[in-house]
Amino acid sequence: MVYLEAMRFLSQFGLGAVLISNDDIILESNEAADCLLADAGALKGRTLSEILPDMTRQLPGTYINIAFSKYLTLCPTPVGVDLPAHTRLICFRDAASEVSHRMLGTIVNLIREPILLCDEKKRIMLVNDALMRMESLVPENVVGKDINEAYTCIDGNELTVPVVIADKKPIEDRRQAYTTLHGKRLDIMCNSYPIFEEGAILGVFCMTADVSRIEVLSQQIIDLQEGLLKKHPAAKKPQKSGLSAKFHFDDIICQSALMKEMIERCKMIARSDSSVMLYGETGTGKELVAQSIHNASNRADGPFLAINCAAIPENLLESMLFGTEKGAYTGAERRPGLFEQANGGTLLLDELNSMSMTLQAKLLRVLQDGVVRRVGGTEEKHVDVRVLSNINVPPYQAIAENALRQDVFYRLGVVNISIPALRRRKEDIPILIRSFFQQMNKKLSKSVSDVDEEVLAIFCAYNWPGNVRELQHCIEHAMNLLPYEETVIRKEYLPEHIQSVCGYQRLALETADDGMLEQVLSNVERCILTSAIQRNKGNISRAARQLGISRQNLQHRMKRNGLVLEDILSAKPRAD
């Protein structure tokens, strides 16, 4: 195709094109280019660097600010165009709308209040990070759905969005209880406003607040006030201990079947007073689960105390657990131990297998009879404490290695819960990444929104010996290195031991079981397929095109990996 004909053709689609010589002089421009660069005046005969400085060094997809609220972006040059010798064709288009959209999207996600926008047909158009965090969802779960499909009222009232669309009037300070499409129950305060254009309603804008969280904060304020009253001589009301657990099951981010099953088991055992032993590798979130069990139990109003048995010397650990009487040793004062302080509540023994066997033997009396005697004392006191414990090796391995007494295990391991390692639940990686983005964007003043496909493949293949904590640190590392103007994490920003293909393969194989190669390949494929299908909202043809394979090939790979479309689309990025 002759270049003049090609330039006219591009102009019909709103694409500007200029033909420039090797010395940067504009030889020809099409009508769209003249229109997009109208503020610059006549183009022909001038240098491109004069009109658009540094444009030739920009990459396609980046934005060039040519005037106030006016932006251009470079486009790939068409192939097969017959150009004169020693010339080149540069194409560009108007990008003002998408720049504004990106800016507004970033602003909306920085707003702490949960926000939702629906069109006039009640379809969800936009949700911000705060709403997704509150509802434990990702945008792909709800965007495009009818509001009544995504949420179900459980308080006998109708959702506010359809009412506002019908009445064309705002609704303010409406309290609503509803469930998400994945069953999470929420209690909110909602303000919903219609959006008009020349009298016609375009949609509804909603701002919400999680009432249950507000009530928790209010209770904490009351507890603090009671703590202050306790110090006042006139206070006569019995006071509750200020020691408490801050995590709930709602704080556990997951969508894998393994984690869902583990959480449901924990919710059931939370109802009793039986001792629970949690086993999980370093970084799996054992204390988070322990605190959640306490907060879901009948002891939630009582104190929650935790002690790391690996961080404290044996003699000091004994004094901290059982308390001391004055004179028990040089400098000893009369003070209660953790068992007494946790009376009516829960005590967590963190890394129990690091406690000496001698001190474990001394635990048996309080575990068997609920009786504690302070170091250097003779008086015995009865305590009502639920004991939770955690270890970072399998219990029977700890017993075999003489790191855990068998009789202590039988007392503290009445119920045993195993917390899955991250390598066994890699489908949780995308939702965990989103959660870390929300935390770190505020902490680091960034606007990171995604990782590219290569990074996702690395994450799915890597063995994560440090589990969720290592993933979190990896994301924080990358976000610290990522330039402020970039929003997608690429391979070069990852820690060196993870970004190196040899590195992550080696680390994966260090703890490999038989058949690890097949497991790694399967994990990578499952992660990439799931991500592509979710991004394309279940459109198999579009997802296949994005992956560069046929629709039939994608369906075959889904079947081979046991992936069901309905399960992928309804995958619940839960915090419960």
Side-chain angles (χ1 to χ4, degrees):
M1 180 182 293
V2 179
Y3 72 93
L4 288 174
E5 182 181 350
M7 292 174 73
R8 285 193 296 270
F9 180 76
L10 292 171
S11 187
Q12 293 175 8
F13 292 92
L15 299 177
V18 293
L19 182 73
I20 64 172
S21 64
N22 284 347
D23 53 0
D24 199 38
I25 296 175
I26 299 175
L27 304 174
E28 297 287 349
S29 62
N30 65 3
E31 185 178 348
D34 294 335
C35 182
L36 291 170
L37 301 174
D39 292 344
L43 304 179
K44 195 171 182 179
R46 299 168 65 186
T47 63
L48 185 64
S49 58
E50 172 194 354
I51 299 169
L52 294 171
D54 300 325
M55 183 174 190
T56 56
R57 291 194 291 272
Q58 294 287 333
L59 297 173
T62 57
Y63 302 114
I64 308 159
N65 189 339
I66 59 171
F68 176 67
S69 76
K70 292 184 178 180
Y71 293 85
L72 299 179
T73 186
L74 285 175
C75 302
T77 303
V79 295
V81 178
D82 187 14
L83 299 176
H86 310 298
T87 64
R88 55 198 175 112
L89 193 65
I90 294 181
C91 302
F92 48 89
R93 61 176 176 80
D94 181 12
S97 295
E98 56 189 76
V99 169
S100 297
H101 185 270
R102 289 201 175 197
M103 287 182 175
L104 290 172
T106 299
I107 292 169
V108 165
N109 281 325
L110 290 174
I111 295 174
R112 295 182 179 180
E113 289 75 17
I115 289 174
L116 177 142
L117 179 67
C118 288
D119 65 13
E120 78 281 7
K121 301 292 186 182
K122 302 180 296 182
R123 294 171 298 207
I124 299 171
M125 295 180 65
L126 178 147
V127 290
N128 72 344
D129 287 347
L131 183 69
M132 292 296 90
R133 175 66 181 172
M134 181 179 77
E135 295 180 346
S136 304
L137 297 171
V138 292
E140 291 85 351
N141 292 135
V142 294
V143 171
K145 293 184 182 295
D146 186 287
I147 189 78
N148 289 310
E149 182 183 355
Y151 307 112
T152 303
C153 252
I154 55 176
D155 58 5
N157 296 317
E158 190 175 358
L159 293 169
T160 59
V161 169
V163 176
V164 170
I165 291 174
D167 296 345
K168 298 184 178 181
K169 294 179 181 178
I171 296 177
E172 296 184 323
D173 299 327
R174 171 73 63 83
R175 186 163 181 174
Q176 285 201 311
Y178 66 94
T179 57
T180 67
L181 76 169
H182 295 317
K184 182 173 182 179
R185 177 171 179 153
L186 289 163
D187 189 2
I188 65 165
M189 189 69 73
C190 182
N191 291 287
S192 302
Y193 304 95
I195 302 171
F196 294 103
E197 176 67 27
E198 295 183 356
I201 190 165
L202 296 181
V204 178
F205 170 74
C206 302
M207 292 188 69
T208 65
D210 188 347
V211 175
S212 61
R213 290 289 186 186
I214 294 172
E215 290 177 345
V216 169
L217 291 173
S218 299
Q219 186 58 50
Q220 289 176 352
I221 292 172
I222 292 170
D223 291 343
L224 289 172
Q225 291 173 334
E226 289 181 349
L228 292 173
L229 289 172
K230 185 176 181 181
K231 298 178 181 179
H232 196 281
K236 297 180 180 179
K237 181 180 176 181
Q239 304 301 322
K240 171 187 168 181
S241 170
L243 302 168
S244 62
K246 64 179 181 178
F247 293 115
H248 299 71
F249 286 117
D250 283 345
D251 297 309
I252 302 176
I253 306 298
C254 72
Q255 60 182 1
S256 63
L258 272 176
M259 284 296 288
K260 290 179 184 178
E261 181 181 354
M262 186 275 293
I263 290 169
E264 290 306 316
R265 290 179 65 196
C266 288
K267 286 181 177 179
M268 292 184 67
I269 64 175
R271 304 169 189 167
S272 76
D273 276 342
S274 299
S275 297
V276 179
M277 181 173 288
L278 301 167
Y279 156 64
E281 297 175 3
T282 298
T284 50
K286 297 184 288 294
E287 182 163 348
L288 188 153
V289 174
Q291 291 193 22
S292 300
I293 290 173
H294 169 78
N295 280 326
S297 73
N298 294 329
R299 296 174 177 264
D301 290 333
F304 176 91
L305 288 87
I307 187 166
N308 189 325
C309 302
I312 303 171
E314 179 181 350
N315 57 343
L316 181 56
L317 181 59
E318 181 180 2
S319 300
M320 293 180 68
L321 287 171
F322 302 114
T324 56
E325 289 292 346
K326 188 175 180 65
Y329 52 84
T330 303
E333 296 291 336
R334 190 173 189 272
R335 62 183 57 186
L338 293 178
F339 276 103
E340 290 181 59
Q341 293 178 56
N343 191 38
T346 304
L347 175 63
L348 170 64
L349 302 176
D350 191 16
E351 296 195 42
L352 174 67
N353 52 311
S354 297
M355 182 186 291
S356 72
M357 301 293 274
T358 302
L359 188 51
Q360 287 185 37
K362 295 180 180 180
L363 276 177
L364 286 174
R365 180 73 189 280
V366 66
L367 297 177
Q368 291 171 354
D369 304 323
V371 173
V372 64
R373 185 169 62 189
R374 295 179 183 176
V375 176
T378 57
E379 181 183 1
E380 294 186 337
K381 295 186 177 182
H382 285 272
V383 291
D384 174 25
V385 178
R386 184 183 194 182
V387 180
L388 306 181
S389 58
N390 67 49
I391 57 176
N392 52 20
V393 295
Y396 289 101
Q397 178 184 333
I399 293 171
E401 294 173 351
N402 291 321
L404 179 66
R405 287 178 60 104
Q406 195 169 40
D407 47 5
V408 171
F409 169 67
Y410 291 145
R411 289 290 178 184
L412 293 181
V414 175
V415 179
N416 289 280
I417 296 292
S418 178
I419 303 175
L422 184 57
R423 63 179 173 274
R424 295 181 57 209
R425 53 181 186 104
K426 291 191 176 177
E427 57 266 50
D428 286 340
I429 289 177
I431 185 65
L432 286 168
I433 291 172
R434 286 180 183 270
S435 173
F436 298 148
F437 284 162
Q438 292 173 23
Q439 298 171 25
M440 297 303 165
N441 277 335
K442 294 178 182 178
K443 178 179 177 180
L444 303 176
S445 300
K446 297 286 183 78
S447 301
V448 182
S449 60
D450 209 351
V451 298
D452 68 17
E453 292 293 336
E454 185 180 16
V455 169
L456 184 62
I458 290 173
F459 281 0
C460 291
Y462 184 62
N463 211 38
W464 298 110
N467 293 288
V468 178
R469 186 182 296 122
E470 185 182 8
L471 175 62
Q472 181 180 11
H473 291 172
C474 173
I475 294 296
E476 185 171 359
H477 171 100
M479 289 179 66
N480 271 289
L481 297 180
L482 194 72
Y484 278 90
E485 65 274 11
E486 293 191 30
T487 60
V488 177
I489 292 176
R490 299 193 301 275
K491 176 182 174 181
E492 56 263 35
Y493 299 120
L494 301 180
E496 290 182 4
H497 73 282
I498 294 179
Q499 69 170 278
S500 166
V501 173
C502 294
Y504 74 74
Q505 286 178 339
R506 175 180 56 77
L507 286 168
L509 293 172
E510 281 179 356
T511 53
D513 300 318
D514 292 340
M516 187 59 167
L517 176 61
E518 291 299 325
Q519 180 184 339
V520 168
L521 293 175
S522 177
N523 283 334
V524 172
E525 187 172 65
R526 285 173 61 87
C527 239
I528 292 175
L529 294 180
T530 299
S531 178
I533 293 167
Q534 287 179 338
R535 278 200 312 274
N536 289 283
K537 301 175 184 176
N539 188 315
I540 298 297
S541 298
R542 197 158 58 221
R545 284 196 299 272
Q546 189 178 85
L547 293 169
I549 60 178
S550 68
R551 176 188 174 93
Q552 292 78 8
N553 193 344
L554 175 54
Q555 290 174 323
H556 169 71
R557 289 171 184 268
M558 290 172 62
K559 184 176 181 181
R560 183 176 67 192
N561 284 280
L563 297 174
V564 179
L565 180 61
E566 291 75 17
D567 293 342
I568 293 174
L569 295 179
S570 65
K572 184 177 180 183
R574 295 176 35 162
D576 62 352

